[in-house]
């Protein structure tokens, strides 16, 4: 910002005289004078800026030669500490000075509402710079003559919440200056908005109004000391006067609350005054972030106003160091400008019509010094743009802009009165920020441990499985020694964190139960817990867990048994029942197909029906072991058998492998297979009494007889003597237990999963996030696996033990082979039947040509019967043969017979189709006629 240089007193006096003379000339030529009043705190910086801006706006209007119809006259009144006195002042302005509008500079909504009641009663427009507690619709309905030269405070609250969530701070402390008229709704809205971003308001520090305190420094210090007991170091000053803030920051700095890893956010009530506060105030808030209302400073209208403002402000208030105008001056100027435009729009109409004048005021639509001036329901309609600034050195520097539409952006939404495109973002860049204490990284916003105040870490002092955490007391030095998987993992985490910051800590053992240990963390007796803590949904409401470093779930461990009755039928185990049925079906189908195709041409498949069936079954079953002796003649049958042999080879190999695995690999079968048996028999089970498991068994699994086991070495004894039938252990403990007793116990039943094992921190602690990242790093580089192998690896004696039974082979693994075998058999059978059908048609045609000559529409039934009779050629039949006359005499046939036929014995059947004969010969089977 530029530095003001005072004008010579002579030049200033001449300008004032010219200004007064112009006003007097204008007054003499105007037709009507309009009175307006202003009730402002003339002792405050804001009030001084408002008065100066209002004077400039009225002077510019009265000086404008185009405004010939009206003249504006000002009546200033100073606010009082007594609100009743301010009401009398407003009544006086209305009744005695006949003002048409009152500009009020009250800083609370309740004071504004009281003055608005007077405006409603006398129909006088009231201009306010305070945001209402209600929606604009309700305000307009209740106070129709109230005009709010401000926007909803929700935009500022959203901006504040966006800044907090951008840096991933999880807890904040809100500081608010209160008085008897203050509006606490902003606190409630901010709390709810932050909760939507996953941020918790840890504490609300309410400071009394500065003017009501006899010893403000002592009161502020007493309240600020309370913040030392809080963990959060992110402070949001939502509302405060400069006087109160001066004491607040001074005390906070002395108590170390503005040091490293602290963050301060100033709302617009303070940030908008950063241009006017003294250097002592600025030096006390180094590194703070401020949320300022943005306005364009490069326009010609602003530069003209700034020159007038500096000249008048410096002359009237020479004690003020910085005469630059702020947002309060700009809004005051814009309010008078809007009123002047409303007056001009009246033309020749009288300004006594207060309703018309108010409506013209609310219909304003122009770009003022503070932004766009237009109203909806009696309040400014546009959403403001905020500028995030960072206090650095003697002043501040701008970081980014924020608007409800675009979020964070490098350029404002409006520049030079024109809307431009911006590239918004949900996060802020932290590289440009100078943080408190010259910190180079984003502050943790948390009470970080120091050498004088290290991190107090609770450690389970009484554990059932000492592989995770073990606390020993060294006799020589009487010091405690902490060992175990969790301790080693935490020390590896510290090696990663030390690259960014140191983390002094002290272990402190706790000999109570695990739920009580978590409660100690909730009560802030510990800063963190390092141990085998299970992540549960209920616990996440009160503590912050890191990334889990081990899976967690509840399993049932029971002794092993060997059931001899089941092993007697072990040979059926390799295949499932469906698999056995499918195999039998394919075998029978293949047997029938082979018999049908071999029956006609292969003598080994003939004979009586039971002999044929026995031969077919023997061939098929013996082929399972490749021990068949029958010779296959048909090519169709050979194709079927080749595919069947391949199927048999795969099945026998798989069966052998599966049965061998079941019989040779050690198998641990549980003595209790499911929790249902435990419930039915009301058997006693054991668990760790210091964990949540007992409550889970009783409330969720509904088990009644539960015995608590205090040490892992007691489980085998209790299980062997039958005191408990099963032990319920979490998965990490179960691995340790089976490592030592792998041949005696197995896991049975389902696995009841939980969130895993993790370290725990206080709710909102940023250390939980850093430790989680470190655990992920250790997981990726293999360190976590090496620690698990060191502490929990199974012994070599347990590597070949099968806890689960070998699964039986199912149809899903072989249905493709079954389909190929069945399809091959079916296709070959169809081809064979087709071949028989053609041969039957050929024989039938020959017989017709020589003997009967029947009709050609022979039925399908006759052909099918012929095929069957032809295929069943296993019994002697009588045939007729046509012979020559010479041969007939030799056969003893009378010459008178014509044609000449001879009964042929079965032994001559081979000659029936002898093609060498000179005459065609046809044999006709005569049904079931047999030769004697």
């Amino acid at each position: 910002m530029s530095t003001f240089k005072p004008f010579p007193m002579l030049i200033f006096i001449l300008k004032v005289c010219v200004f007064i003379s112009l006003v007097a000339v204008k007054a003499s030529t105007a037709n009507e004078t309009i009175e307006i009043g202003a009730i402002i705190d003339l002792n405050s910086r804001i009030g001084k800026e408002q008065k100066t801006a209002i004077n400039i706006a009225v002077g510019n209007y009265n000086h404008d030669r185009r405004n010939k119809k009206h003249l504006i006259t000002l009546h200033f009144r100073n606010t009082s500490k007594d609100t009743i006195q301010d009401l009398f002042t407003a009544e006086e302005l209305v009744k005695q000075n006949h003002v048409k509008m009152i500009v009020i500079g009250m800083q609370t909504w309740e004071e504004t509402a009281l003055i608005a009641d007077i405006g409603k009663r006398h129909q006088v427009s009231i201009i306010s710079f305070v945001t209402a507690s209600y929606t604009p619709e309700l305000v307009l309905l209740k106070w129709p003559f109230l005009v709010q030269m401000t926007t909803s405070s929700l935009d500022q609250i959203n901006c504040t919440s966006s800044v907090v969530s951008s840096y991933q701070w999880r807890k904040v402390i809100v500081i608010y200056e209160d008085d008897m008229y203050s509006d606490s709704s902003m606190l409630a809205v901010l709390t709810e908005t932050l909760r939507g971003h996953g941020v918790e308001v840890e504490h609300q520090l309410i400071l009394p109004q500065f003017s009501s305190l006899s010893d403000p420094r002592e009161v502020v210090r007493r309240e600020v000391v309370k913040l030392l007991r809080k963990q959060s170091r992110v402070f949001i000053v939502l509302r405060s006067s400069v006087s109160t803030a001066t004491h607040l920051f001074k005390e906070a700095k002395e108590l170390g609350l503005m040091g490293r890893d602290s963050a301060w956010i100033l709302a617009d009530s303070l940030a908008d005054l950063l241009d006017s506060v003294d250097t002592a105030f600025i030096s006390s808030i180094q590194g703070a972030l401020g949320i300022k209302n943005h306005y364009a400073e490069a326009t010609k209208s602003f530069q003209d106003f700034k020159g007038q403002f500096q000249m008048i402000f410096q002359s009237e208030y020479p004690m003020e160091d910085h005469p630059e105008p702020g947002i309060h001056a700009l809004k005051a100027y814009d309010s008078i400008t809007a009123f002047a435009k409303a007056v001009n729009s009246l033309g020749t109409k009288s300004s006594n019509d207060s309703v018309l004048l108010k409506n013209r005021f609310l219909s304003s639509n122009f770009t003022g010094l503070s932004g766009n001036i237009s109203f909806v329901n009696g309040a400014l309609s546009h959403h403001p743009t905020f500028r995030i600034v960072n206090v650095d050195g003697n002043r501040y520097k701008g970081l980014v802009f924020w608007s409800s539409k675009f979020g964070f952006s490098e350029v404002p939404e409006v520049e030079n009165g024109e809307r431009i495109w911006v590239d918004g973002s949900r996060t802020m860049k932290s590289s440009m920020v100078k943080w408190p204490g010259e910190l180079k990284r984003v502050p943790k916003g948390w009470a970080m441990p120091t050498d004088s105040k290290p991190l107090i870490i609770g450690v389970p002092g009484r554990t059932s499985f000492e592989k995770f955490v073990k606390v020993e007391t060294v006799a020589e030095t009487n010091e405690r020694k902490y060992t175990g998987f969790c301790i080693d993992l935490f020390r590896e985490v510290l090696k990663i964190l030390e690259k960014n910051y140191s983390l002094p800590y002290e272990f402190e053992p706790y000999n109570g139960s695990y739920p009580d240990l978590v409660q100690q963390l909730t009560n802030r007796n510990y800063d963190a817990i390092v141990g085998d803590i299970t992540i549960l949904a209920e616990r996440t409401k009160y503590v912050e867990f890191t990334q889990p470093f081990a899976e967690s779930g509840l399993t049932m461990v029971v002794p092993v048994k060997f059931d001899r009755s089941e092993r007697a039928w072990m040979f059926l185990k390799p295949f499932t029942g469906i698999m056995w049925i499918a195999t039998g079906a394919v075998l029978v189908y293949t047997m029938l197909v082979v018999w049908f195709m071999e029956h006609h041409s292969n003598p080994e498949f003939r004979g009586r029906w039971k002999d044929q069936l026995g031969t077919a079954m023997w061939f098929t079953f013996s082929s399972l072991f490749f021990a068949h002796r029958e010779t296959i003649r048909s090519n169709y049958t050979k194709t079927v058998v080749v595919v069947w042999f391949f199927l048999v080879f795969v099945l026998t190999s798989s069966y052998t492998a599966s049965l061998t695995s079941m019989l040779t690999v050690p198998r641990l079968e549980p003595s209790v297979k499911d929790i249902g048996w435990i419930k039915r028999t009301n058997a006693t089970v054991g668990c760790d009494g210091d964990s949540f498991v007992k409550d889970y068994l009783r409330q969720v699994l509904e088990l009644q007889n539960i015995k608590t086991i205090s040490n892992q070495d007691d489980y085998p004894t209790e299980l062997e003597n039958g005191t408990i039938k099963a032990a319920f252990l979490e998965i990490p403990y179960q691995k340790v237990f089976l490592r030592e007793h792998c041949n005696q116990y197995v896991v049975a039943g389902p696995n009841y999963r939980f969130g895993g094992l993790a370290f725990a921190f206080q709710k909102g602690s940023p250390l939980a996030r850093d430790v989680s990242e470190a655990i992920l790093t250790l997981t990726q580089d293999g360190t976590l696996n090496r620690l698990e192998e060191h502490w929990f690896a199974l012994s070599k004696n347990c590597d070949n033990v099968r806890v689960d039974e070998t699964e039986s082979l199912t149809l899903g693994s072989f249905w493709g082979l079954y389909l190929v075998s069945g399809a091959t058999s079916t296709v070959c059978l169809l081809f064979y039947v087709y071949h028989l059908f053609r041969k039957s048609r050929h024989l039938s045609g020959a017989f017709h040509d020589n003997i009967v000559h029947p009709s050609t529409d022979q039925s399908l039934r006759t052909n099918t019967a012929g095929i069957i009779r032809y295929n069943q050629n296993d019994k002697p039949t009588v045939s007729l043969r046509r012979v020559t006359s010479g041969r007939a005499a030799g056969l003893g046939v009378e010459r008178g017979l014509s044609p000449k036929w001879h009964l042929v014995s079965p032994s001559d059947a081979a000659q029936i189709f002898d093609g060498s004969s000179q005459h065609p010969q046809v044999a006709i089977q005569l049904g079931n006629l047999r030769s004697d």
Side-chain angles (χ1 to χ4, degrees):
M1 308 299 290
S2 60
T3 304
F4 172 73
K5 295 181 181 180
F7 288 88
M9 183 61 66
L10 180 60
I11 297 177
F12 171 73
I13 295 175
L14 290 175
K15 287 188 176 182
V16 172
C17 293
V18 172
F19 179 76
I20 295 175
S21 62
L22 290 174
V23 173
V25 171
K26 184 68 178 179
S28 63
T29 59
N31 295 331
E32 183 182 7
T33 299
I34 300 178
E35 311 287 340
I36 63 174
I39 305 176
I40 297 173
D41 184 6
L42 300 178
N43 298 321
S44 67
R45 170 70 188 213
I46 295 176
K48 294 174 183 178
E49 288 189 16
Q50 289 173 339
K51 179 184 178 181
T52 304
I54 291 174
N55 276 326
I56 294 175
V58 172
N60 290 342
Y61 174 80
N62 291 336
H63 180 67
D64 193 345
R65 295 173 178 265
R66 294 171 296 180
N67 303 325
K68 299 179 180 180
K69 301 295 183 181
H70 303 91
L71 180 69
I72 297 177
T73 302
L74 281 171
H75 301 277
F76 282 104
R77 298 291 187 272
N78 194 7
T79 58
S80 173
K81 296 182 179 180
D82 187 359
T83 306
I84 303 300
Q85 182 61 43
D86 291 336
L87 293 178
F88 288 139
T89 301
E91 288 279 359
E92 176 189 352
L93 288 173
V94 173
K95 294 180 179 180
Q96 296 182 9
N97 299 103
H98 306 288
V99 296
K100 304 299 181 183
M101 181 185 73
I102 301 178
V103 179
I104 57 175
M106 282 76 178
Q107 298 303 308
T108 64
W109 165 247
E110 281 71 12
E111 292 175 307
T112 301
L114 294 176
I115 303 299
D117 285 331
I118 296 178
K120 175 183 178 181
R121 186 165 63 251
H122 297 284
Q123 293 191 345
V124 175
S125 298
I126 305 297
I127 309 300
S128 170
F129 304 105
V130 179
T131 302
S133 301
Y134 312 99
T135 61
E137 295 83 358
L138 293 177
V139 172
L140 185 62
L141 182 63
K142 190 171 183 179
W143 297 284
F145 282 87
L146 178 63
V147 179
Q148 301 178 72
M149 283 293 296
T150 183
T151 56
S152 173
S153 60
L154 185 60
D155 288 310
Q156 182 190 183
I157 289 174
N158 288 333
C159 179
T160 305
S161 301
S162 298
V163 172
V164 173
S165 63
S166 177
Y167 292 117
Q168 299 182 5
W169 293 318
R170 299 293 302 278
K171 277 189 177 183
V172 299
I173 294 175
V174 180
I175 301 175
Y176 190 85
E177 183 177 354
D178 195 11
D179 56 51
M180 61 181 299
Y181 299 106
S182 67
D183 173 28
S184 60
S185 63
M186 288 185 64
L187 284 173
V189 175
L190 177 62
T191 302
E192 191 65 27
T193 305
L194 288 172
R195 186 178 293 115
H197 288 271
V199 181
E200 176 188 350
V201 177
E202 183 182 15
H203 180 66
Q204 294 179 355
L205 178 60
I206 309 297
L207 297 174
Q209 189 178 20
F210 182 82
S211 59
S212 64
L213 300 177
S214 59
D215 188 0
R217 179 179 180 180
E218 180 62 28
V219 173
V220 172
R221 181 177 181 83
R222 185 171 60 250
E223 294 297 325
V224 173
V225 167
K226 298 177 181 178
L227 301 181
L228 293 174
R229 297 192 292 269
K230 307 300 178 183
Q231 289 292 334
S232 176
R233 290 297 180 264
V234 179
F235 305 96
I236 300 176
V237 184
L238 185 60
R239 173 186 168 182
S240 175
S241 63
V242 176
S243 301
T244 300
T246 301
H247 290 285
L248 169 67
F249 296 136
K250 182 179 180 180
E251 299 301 329
K253 189 173 183 179
E254 290 181 357
L255 293 174
L257 295 178
M258 301 197 71
R260 296 169 64 89
D261 284 306
S262 296
W264 288 78
I265 301 175
L266 311 181
D268 60 355
S269 62
L270 282 177
D272 285 336
L273 298 175
L274 291 177
D275 292 313
S276 59
V277 295
D278 56 25
T279 55
F281 184 89
I282 291 293
S283 63
S284 65
I285 57 172
Q286 289 295 303
L289 299 177
I291 302 175
K292 284 174 56 68
N293 284 277
H294 171 68
Y295 49 86
E297 301 182 27
T299 61
K300 183 179 182 303
S301 58
F302 178 82
Q303 294 299 325
D304 293 341
F305 170 77
K306 180 179 179 181
Q308 291 179 295
F309 184 90
Q310 288 178 333
M311 181 184 66
I312 298 175
F313 190 85
Q314 183 65 35
S315 63
E316 291 189 5
Y317 310 105
M319 299 301 294
E320 295 288 342
D321 295 333
H322 306 285
E324 288 83 4
I327 188 64
H328 302 287
L330 302 185
K331 287 189 175 182
Y333 183 89
D334 288 340
S335 65
I336 301 301
T337 303
F339 180 78
K341 290 180 178 293
V343 170
N344 281 342
S345 66
L346 294 177
T348 58
K349 297 180 181 179
S350 173
S351 61
N352 292 327
D353 190 346
S354 57
V355 176
L356 177 61
L357 184 61
K358 185 227 14 176
N359 291 337
R360 294 295 176 88
F361 188 100
L362 293 177
S363 62
S364 301
N365 188 8
F366 65 96
T367 301
L369 298 180
S370 62
N372 183 48
I373 305 299
S374 60
F375 298 90
V376 174
N377 295 321
L380 290 177
S381 59
H382 76 282
H383 292 280
T385 298
F386 295 102
R387 188 182 186 189
I388 313 301
V389 299
N390 178 216
V391 179
D392 184 10
N394 294 330
R395 280 288 166 252
Y396 62 84
K397 61 181 179 181
L399 300 177
V400 294
F401 297 91
W402 185 92
S403 64
S404 58
K405 182 178 182 181
F406 296 103
F408 297 105
S409 59
E410 297 293 333
V411 294
E413 180 183 354
V414 177
E415 188 72 29
N416 298 327
E418 296 182 359
R419 185 178 299 273
I420 62 174
W421 179 85
V422 294
D423 184 13
S425 172
R426 293 182 178 272
T427 58
M428 288 180 58
K429 296 180 179 179
S430 59
S431 58
M432 299 175 57
V433 181
K434 176 185 177 182
W435 298 106
E438 302 292 336
L439 192 64
K440 302 301 182 182
R441 55 172 172 80
V442 177
K444 296 299 179 182
W446 195 259
M448 297 295 289
T450 61
D451 293 334
S452 60
K453 189 178 179 181
L455 194 72
I456 305 301
I457 300 177
V459 176
R462 187 180 64 194
T463 60
S464 298
F465 291 84
E466 296 178 345
K467 295 290 184 180
F468 291 89
V469 177
K470 184 178 181 181
V471 181
E472 297 177 296
T473 301
V474 181
E476 295 80 4
T477 61
N478 202 29
E479 295 180 353
R480 293 190 180 95
K481 179 181 178 182
Y482 300 89
T483 58
F485 169 76
C486 296
I487 302 299
D488 287 353
L489 177 61
F490 180 72
R491 287 168 177 161
E492 292 293 334
V493 167
L494 290 181
K495 294 179 182 179
I496 297 178
L497 296 182
E498 287 175 354
K499 298 177 181 178
N500 297 319
Y501 55 87
S502 62
L503 194 67
Y505 71 93
E506 289 182 0
F507 285 139
E508 184 174 310
Y510 182 78
N511 294 321
S513 65
Y514 277 66
D516 292 340
L517 176 59
V518 175
Q519 186 62 42
Q520 292 295 317
L521 181 63
T522 305
N523 296 338
R524 304 185 184 280
N525 294 327
Y526 296 126
D527 297 312
I529 298 176
V530 169
D532 46 340
I533 307 299
T534 304
I535 300 175
L536 300 177
E538 185 66 23
R539 292 176 178 176
T540 57
K541 299 177 182 178
Y542 310 104
V543 299
E544 200 81 30
F545 284 102
T546 64
Q547 175 77 16
F549 53 77
E551 64 174 329
S552 177
L554 192 62
T555 58
M556 183 173 66
V557 178
V558 297
V560 298
K561 71 169 185 176
F562 294 92
D563 192 340
R564 299 301 178 182
S565 61
E566 290 188 3
R567 295 180 64 87
W569 298 95
M570 183 62 69
F571 70 91
L572 295 176
K573 289 287 187 180
F575 289 166
T576 62
I578 299 299
M579 183 71 175
W580 282 114
I581 294 174
T583 303
V586 174
L587 185 146
V588 172
Y589 181 68
T590 304
M591 176 191 70
L592 294 176
V593 171
V594 170
W595 168 81
F596 185 80
M597 292 190 296
E598 289 296 310
H599 169 72
H600 174 69
S601 59
N602 195 335
E604 295 183 12
F605 287 86
R606 294 181 186 172
R608 293 177 299 177
W609 281 105
K610 61 180 181 178
D611 295 334
Q612 296 181 35
L613 181 60
T615 301
M617 293 182 63
W618 168 254
F619 171 81
T620 308
F621 277 102
S622 61
S623 64
L624 292 174
F625 311 99
F626 304 100
H628 55 283
R629 293 176 298 175
E630 292 78 8
T631 302
I632 302 300
R633 296 186 177 183
S634 173
N635 290 330
Y636 296 116
T637 309
K638 292 177 181 179
T639 303
V640 172
V641 171
V642 166
V643 177
W644 168 250
F645 282 170
F646 180 75
L647 173 61
V648 168
F649 172 76
V650 173
L651 288 178
T652 53
S653 300
S654 302
Y655 177 87
T656 302
S658 180
L659 184 60
T660 301
S661 175
M662 292 181 176
L663 293 176
T664 59
V665 177
R667 244 179 353 106
L668 304 182
E669 300 181 5
S671 58
V672 178
K673 291 191 174 182
D674 54 47
I675 196 173
W677 183 87
I678 298 289
K679 292 181 178 180
R680 290 192 299 270
T681 60
N682 198 23
T684 303
V685 298
C687 69
D688 183 4
D690 292 333
S691 68
F692 70 97
V693 176
K694 184 175 182 180
D695 293 334
Y696 185 86
L697 294 178
R698 192 179 304 278
Q699 299 173 7
V700 179
L701 300 184
E702 299 179 350
L703 300 182
Q704 300 302 322
N705 291 338
I706 303 173
K707 183 177 181 179
T708 57
I709 309 297
S710 58
N711 191 280
Q712 71 178 82
D713 296 330
D714 295 336
Y715 282 102
T717 303
E718 299 291 341
L719 289 169
E720 289 174 4
N721 59 29
T723 305
I724 60 175
K725 297 298 183 182
F728 282 87
L729 303 175
E730 294 186 68
I731 289 179
Y733 308 145
Q734 165 237 303
K735 291 181 179 180
V736 174
F737 183 77
L738 293 182
R739 174 182 179 272
E740 301 177 0
H741 309 281
C742 55
N743 295 317
Q744 303 171 11
Y745 304 96
V746 293
V747 176
N751 179 7
Y752 305 96
R753 294 194 175 276
F754 302 114
L757 299 185
F759 301 145
F761 290 81
Q762 289 186 10
K763 191 66 174 178
S765 172
L767 295 178
R769 182 175 63 249
D770 294 345
V771 173
S772 294
E773 294 177 358
I775 291 175
L776 291 175
T777 301
L778 296 175
T779 303
Q780 295 172 5
D781 64 14
T783 303
L784 185 61
N785 289 334
R786 289 192 293 272
L787 290 176
E788 290 179 348
E789 292 174 0
H790 173 71
W791 290 100
F792 309 130
L794 294 175
S795 63
K796 295 182 179 180
N797 295 331
C798 299
D799 291 340
N800 296 325
V801 174
R802 298 287 298 274
V803 177
D804 296 327
E805 294 185 7
T806 302
E807 295 183 355
S808 301
L809 300 176
T810 63
L811 182 61
S813 303
F814 300 94
W815 69 268
L817 279 176
Y818 287 164
L819 179 62
V820 171
S821 177
T824 302
S825 300
T826 303
V827 171
C828 291
L829 177 63
L830 294 176
F831 274 107
Y832 179 75
V833 172
Y834 176 71
H835 175 73
L836 292 182
F837 179 76
R838 291 191 60 186
K839 182 174 290 187
S840 175
R841 291 288 300 271
H842 175 71
L843 294 177
S844 178
F847 175 75
H848 295 158
D849 293 340
N850 293 276
I851 304 176
V852 185
H853 304 287
S855 61
T856 59
D857 57 349
Q858 189 177 20
S859 66
L860 178 63
R861 178 179 180 183
T862 304
N863 292 332
T864 303
I867 293 173
I868 296 175
R869 288 194 301 269
Y870 178 80
N871 192 54
Q872 292 178 344
N873 186 21
D874 59 335
K875 296 179 181 180
T877 59
V878 179
S879 302
L880 291 178
R881 179 179 178 184
R882 185 179 180 181
V883 296
T884 60
S885 58
R887 294 182 64 185
L891 294 173
V893 181
E894 298 180 2
R895 294 182 179 273
L897 288 176
S898 179
K900 302 176 182 61
W901 296 92
H902 174 64
L903 292 176
V904 182
S905 66
S907 60
D908 298 326
Q911 304 176 13
I912 295 177
F913 297 102
D914 187 3
S916 64
S917 179
Q918 297 180 356
H919 301 283
Q921 301 169 358
V922 179
I924 305 170
Q925 295 181 354
L926 302 178
N928 293 325
L929 294 178
R930 301 176 182 171
S931 61
D932 295 330

